Amino acid sequence: MIFKILAVAAVLFLVYIVFFKKNREKDNEIINEKRRAKKNQDIQDEMVECPTCKTYISKDEAILSSAKFYCSKECLNNK
């Protein structure tokens, strides 16, 4: 009787490995891809130097005037 229970448990375990483990591996690959894409997106931010105060600021947040990037309106007015 115990042999039959162990045999059924072994078969169920093999079925689980064959059908469900592949799905988890695919899901993990998709999750890892999304994490890499997000990480690459975060890194793409470019920093520029303010010519007035010599600090660095994100290019997206900087003020562009006369082909130069300024960190604030104060630095832009003091040029």
Side-chain angles (χ1 to χ4, degrees):
M1 180 69 177
I2 293 175
F3 180 71
K4 288 181 183 178
I5 293 172
L6 290 175
V8 169
V11 169
L12 291 175
F13 181 71
L14 290 174
V15 168
Y16 171 77
I17 289 176
V18 169
F19 289 108
F20 295 106
K21 186 152 179 144
K22 289 182 182 178
N23 290 338
R24 277 194 284 159
E25 289 174 359
K26 288 179 185 176
D27 291 343
N28 287 340
E29 288 177 15
I30 292 171
I31 290 170
N32 288 337
E33 252 181 60
K34 288 180 181 178
R35 286 181 184 163
R36 278 187 232 116
K38 184 177 180 185
K39 186 176 180 181
N40 289 340
Q41 183 182 13
D42 291 343
I43 294 173
Q44 291 177 354
D45 193 20
E46 186 178 346
M47 302 296 284
V48 292
E49 184 178 15
C50 175
T52 305
C53 63
K54 306 296 185 204
T55 60
Y56 286 88
I57 187 168
S58 169
K59 192 173 183 179
D60 296 334
E61 297 175 4
I63 300 170
L64 178 63
S65 177
S66 303
K68 294 181 182 177
F69 292 97
Y70 295 92
C71 63
S72 65
K73 290 181 181 179
E74 291 82 19
C75 284
L76 176 64
N77 293 334
N78 292 332
K79 59 179 177 173

